[in-house]
Amino acid sequence: FKGTWDDIPAAPTLKLHGAIVHLICHEEGKVVGLSGVDELQELSSVLAMEIYPPFLTGNYVTRTVDDERTVAGWLRLVNADEAGFRRDYERVMELMPYLFIVDRC
């Protein structure tokens, strides 16, 4: 930047819409499968995502409580289009309760 202090805007300009979404596990039991992962990865706003290894198929999981130790993973959403970002964010929220398929036995 080669301007002066007065050239800097008083408020920053929004160029992109984004969020980091922590994945929540709504189930407890042995993970027998994952649902909706391919759809999540195909959303135009999803820049990156990770499901933590303890929440993958074959592992016993518990429901996410309000702490970092029980979060199941994350998604990074970024989109220049606000409507696209909101649409994808809402879809993530719709899919999340059904993400982990578990055997409760």
Side-chain angles (χ1 to χ4, degrees):
F1 180 73
K2 296 190 179 201
T4 68
W5 186 258
D6 292 331
D7 294 330
I8 298 174
T13 304
L14 182 65
K15 295 183 179 182
L16 298 170
H17 303 272
I20 296 174
V21 177
H22 294 273
L23 295 175
I24 295 170
C25 181
H26 292 265
E27 300 292 337
E28 183 166 339
K30 183 178 179 180
V31 179
V32 294
L34 299 171
S35 175
V37 173
D38 291 337
E39 183 178 349
L40 289 172
Q41 291 173 328
E42 293 298 320
L43 295 173
S44 63
S45 299
V46 173
L47 185 63
M49 73 175 284
E50 178 181 8
I51 296 174
Y52 296 139
F55 290 87
L56 297 176
T57 302
N59 294 316
Y60 184 87
V61 296
T62 58
R63 294 178 185 177
T64 299
V65 293
D66 195 18
D67 70 13
E68 285 291 317
R69 292 177 294 161
T70 58
V71 169
W74 54 267
L75 285 153
R76 186 175 302 133
L77 302 171
V78 177
N79 200 321
D81 176 54
E82 182 178 5
F85 167 77
R86 289 184 184 277
R87 179 190 63 242
D88 290 349
Y89 178 85
E90 290 301 321
R91 188 63 182 143
V92 169
M93 294 300 112
E94 291 169 359
L95 291 172
M96 198 179 321
Y98 310 103
L99 187 61
F100 300 97
I101 302 166
V102 302
D103 179 358
R104 294 186 180 125
C105 297

Short mmCIF file of all heavy atoms in Angstrom, two decimals, residues 1 5 15-16 19 22 34 37-38 42 45 53-54 60 62 65 71 88-90 93 104:
data_model
loop_
_atom_site.label_atom_id
_atom_site.label_comp_id
_atom_site.label_asym_id
_atom_site.label_seq_id
_atom_site.Cartn_x
_atom_site.Cartn_y
_atom_site.Cartn_z
N PHE A 1 0.85 -1.18 0.00
CA PHE A 1 0.00 0.00 0.00
C PHE A 1 0.89 1.23 0.00
O PHE A 1 1.74 1.39 0.85
CB PHE A 1 -0.91 -0.03 1.23
CG PHE A 1 -1.84 1.14 1.32
CD1 PHE A 1 -2.92 1.23 0.46
CD2 PHE A 1 -1.64 2.14 2.24
CE1 PHE A 1 -3.79 2.30 0.55
CE2 PHE A 1 -2.48 3.20 2.33
CZ PHE A 1 -3.58 3.29 1.49
N TRP A 5 -2.35 7.31 5.45
CA TRP A 5 -3.29 6.80 6.44
C TRP A 5 -4.72 7.22 6.11
O TRP A 5 -5.67 6.45 6.27
CB TRP A 5 -2.87 7.30 7.83
CG TRP A 5 -3.69 6.71 8.93
CD1 TRP A 5 -4.71 7.32 9.59
CD2 TRP A 5 -3.58 5.40 9.48
NE1 TRP A 5 -5.24 6.47 10.53
CE2 TRP A 5 -4.55 5.28 10.48
CE3 TRP A 5 -2.74 4.32 9.23
CZ2 TRP A 5 -4.73 4.12 11.24
CZ3 TRP A 5 -2.93 3.17 9.99
CH2 TRP A 5 -3.90 3.08 10.98
N LYS A 15 -15.52 -8.24 0.43
CA LYS A 15 -15.27 -8.77 -0.90
C LYS A 15 -15.78 -10.20 -1.05
O LYS A 15 -16.12 -10.63 -2.14
CB LYS A 15 -13.79 -8.72 -1.22
CG LYS A 15 -13.26 -7.30 -1.32
CD LYS A 15 -11.81 -7.27 -1.70
CE LYS A 15 -11.36 -5.82 -1.80
NZ LYS A 15 -9.98 -5.71 -2.23
N LEU A 16 -15.82 -10.94 0.04
CA LEU A 16 -16.26 -12.33 0.03
C LEU A 16 -17.11 -12.60 1.27
O LEU A 16 -16.95 -11.94 2.29
CB LEU A 16 -15.07 -13.29 0.04
CG LEU A 16 -14.13 -13.23 -1.14
CD1 LEU A 16 -12.89 -14.07 -0.87
CD2 LEU A 16 -14.82 -13.72 -2.40
N ALA A 19 -17.45 -18.45 6.18
CA ALA A 19 -17.66 -18.96 7.54
C ALA A 19 -16.86 -20.25 7.70
O ALA A 19 -16.60 -20.96 6.73
CB ALA A 19 -19.13 -19.24 7.79
N HIS A 22 -18.32 -25.68 12.28
CA HIS A 22 -17.90 -26.87 13.01
C HIS A 22 -18.98 -27.93 12.84
O HIS A 22 -20.17 -27.67 13.05
CB HIS A 22 -17.70 -26.56 14.50
CG HIS A 22 -16.56 -25.64 14.73
ND1 HIS A 22 -15.27 -26.09 14.87
CD2 HIS A 22 -16.51 -24.31 14.83
CE1 HIS A 22 -14.47 -25.05 15.05
NE2 HIS A 22 -15.20 -23.96 15.03
N LEU A 34 -21.47 -42.64 6.41
CA LEU A 34 -21.64 -41.19 6.37
C LEU A 34 -22.62 -40.86 5.26
O LEU A 34 -22.61 -41.50 4.21
CB LEU A 34 -20.30 -40.50 6.12
CG LEU A 34 -19.22 -40.73 7.17
CD1 LEU A 34 -17.90 -40.16 6.70
CD2 LEU A 34 -19.61 -40.09 8.49
N VAL A 37 -21.86 -36.48 2.45
CA VAL A 37 -20.50 -35.94 2.33
C VAL A 37 -20.22 -35.49 0.89
O VAL A 37 -19.67 -34.40 0.67
CB VAL A 37 -19.45 -36.95 2.81
CG1 VAL A 37 -18.04 -36.45 2.54
CG2 VAL A 37 -19.63 -37.24 4.29
N ASP A 38 -20.60 -36.32 -0.07
CA ASP A 38 -20.36 -35.94 -1.47
C ASP A 38 -21.09 -34.66 -1.82
O ASP A 38 -20.53 -33.78 -2.50
CB ASP A 38 -20.79 -37.06 -2.42
CG ASP A 38 -19.89 -38.28 -2.32
OD1 ASP A 38 -18.73 -38.14 -1.89
OD2 ASP A 38 -20.35 -39.38 -2.68
N GLU A 42 -19.51 -30.90 -2.98
CA GLU A 42 -19.88 -30.33 -4.27
C GLU A 42 -20.48 -28.92 -4.16
O GLU A 42 -20.63 -28.25 -5.18
CB GLU A 42 -20.87 -31.25 -4.99
CG GLU A 42 -20.26 -32.58 -5.41
CD GLU A 42 -19.13 -32.42 -6.40
OE1 GLU A 42 -19.24 -31.58 -7.31
OE2 GLU A 42 -18.12 -33.15 -6.26
N SER A 45 -19.68 -23.16 -2.41
CA SER A 45 -19.01 -22.35 -1.38
C SER A 45 -18.01 -23.13 -0.54
O SER A 45 -17.22 -22.53 0.19
CB SER A 45 -20.06 -21.75 -0.43
OG SER A 45 -20.95 -20.91 -1.12
N PRO A 53 -10.80 -38.12 12.15
CA PRO A 53 -10.71 -39.58 12.12
C PRO A 53 -11.56 -40.31 13.17
O PRO A 53 -12.14 -41.35 12.85
CB PRO A 53 -9.21 -39.87 12.30
CG PRO A 53 -8.55 -38.66 11.68
CD PRO A 53 -9.46 -37.50 12.05
N PRO A 54 -11.68 -39.83 14.41
CA PRO A 54 -12.51 -40.56 15.38
C PRO A 54 -13.99 -40.64 14.98
O PRO A 54 -14.74 -41.41 15.57
CB PRO A 54 -12.34 -39.76 16.67
CG PRO A 54 -11.04 -39.06 16.52
CD PRO A 54 -10.94 -38.73 15.05
N TYR A 60 -16.71 -45.67 17.47
CA TYR A 60 -17.82 -45.36 18.35
C TYR A 60 -17.77 -43.85 18.63
O TYR A 60 -16.72 -43.33 18.99
CB TYR A 60 -17.73 -46.13 19.67
CG TYR A 60 -18.91 -45.88 20.56
CD1 TYR A 60 -20.07 -46.65 20.42
CD2 TYR A 60 -18.90 -44.86 21.50
CE1 TYR A 60 -21.18 -46.41 21.22
CE2 TYR A 60 -20.01 -44.61 22.29
CZ TYR A 60 -21.14 -45.39 22.15
OH TYR A 60 -22.24 -45.13 22.94
N THR A 62 -19.82 -40.21 20.24
CA THR A 62 -20.83 -39.64 21.13
C THR A 62 -21.29 -38.32 20.53
O THR A 62 -20.64 -37.77 19.64
CB THR A 62 -20.26 -39.40 22.54
OG1 THR A 62 -19.13 -38.54 22.45
CG2 THR A 62 -19.85 -40.71 23.20
N VAL A 65 -21.01 -32.10 22.32
CA VAL A 65 -21.44 -31.17 23.36
C VAL A 65 -20.74 -29.86 23.10
O VAL A 65 -19.98 -29.73 22.15
CB VAL A 65 -21.17 -31.73 24.77
CG1 VAL A 65 -22.04 -32.95 25.05
CG2 VAL A 65 -19.72 -32.06 24.97
N VAL A 71 -16.31 -31.93 18.73
CA VAL A 71 -16.66 -31.47 17.38
C VAL A 71 -16.18 -32.53 16.39
O VAL A 71 -15.09 -33.09 16.54
CB VAL A 71 -16.02 -30.09 17.09
CG1 VAL A 71 -16.14 -29.72 15.62
CG2 VAL A 71 -16.65 -29.02 17.96
N ASP A 88 -25.76 -22.27 0.37
CA ASP A 88 -24.88 -23.39 0.74
C ASP A 88 -24.82 -23.56 2.25
O ASP A 88 -24.82 -24.69 2.76
CB ASP A 88 -23.49 -23.19 0.16
CG ASP A 88 -23.47 -23.35 -1.36
OD1 ASP A 88 -24.48 -23.81 -1.94
OD2 ASP A 88 -22.43 -23.01 -1.96
N TYR A 89 -24.76 -22.46 3.00
CA TYR A 89 -24.72 -22.55 4.46
C TYR A 89 -25.98 -23.24 4.98
O TYR A 89 -25.91 -24.12 5.84
CB TYR A 89 -24.58 -21.14 5.07
CG TYR A 89 -24.58 -21.15 6.57
CD1 TYR A 89 -23.39 -21.36 7.28
CD2 TYR A 89 -25.74 -20.96 7.30
CE1 TYR A 89 -23.38 -21.37 8.66
CE2 TYR A 89 -25.74 -20.97 8.68
CZ TYR A 89 -24.57 -21.18 9.36
OH TYR A 89 -24.56 -21.22 10.73
N GLU A 90 -27.13 -22.84 4.45
CA GLU A 90 -28.39 -23.46 4.87
C GLU A 90 -28.41 -24.95 4.53
O GLU A 90 -28.91 -25.76 5.31
CB GLU A 90 -29.58 -22.75 4.23
CG GLU A 90 -29.81 -21.35 4.77
CD GLU A 90 -30.07 -21.31 6.27
OE1 GLU A 90 -30.77 -22.22 6.78
OE2 GLU A 90 -29.56 -20.39 6.94
N MET A 93 -26.47 -26.85 7.08
CA MET A 93 -27.25 -27.00 8.31
C MET A 93 -28.33 -28.07 8.16
O MET A 93 -28.63 -28.80 9.11
CB MET A 93 -27.91 -25.66 8.69
CG MET A 93 -26.93 -24.55 9.08
SD MET A 93 -25.91 -24.99 10.51
CE MET A 93 -24.32 -25.12 9.72
N ARG A 104 -26.80 -47.99 17.07
CA ARG A 104 -26.89 -47.61 18.49
C ARG A 104 -26.71 -48.79 19.45
O ARG A 104 -26.72 -48.62 20.65
CB ARG A 104 -28.22 -46.92 18.75
CG ARG A 104 -28.30 -45.60 18.03
CD ARG A 104 -29.55 -44.85 18.41
NE ARG A 104 -29.58 -43.59 17.68
CZ ARG A 104 -30.58 -43.21 16.92
NH1 ARG A 104 -31.65 -43.97 16.81
NH2 ARG A 104 -30.54 -42.06 16.28
#
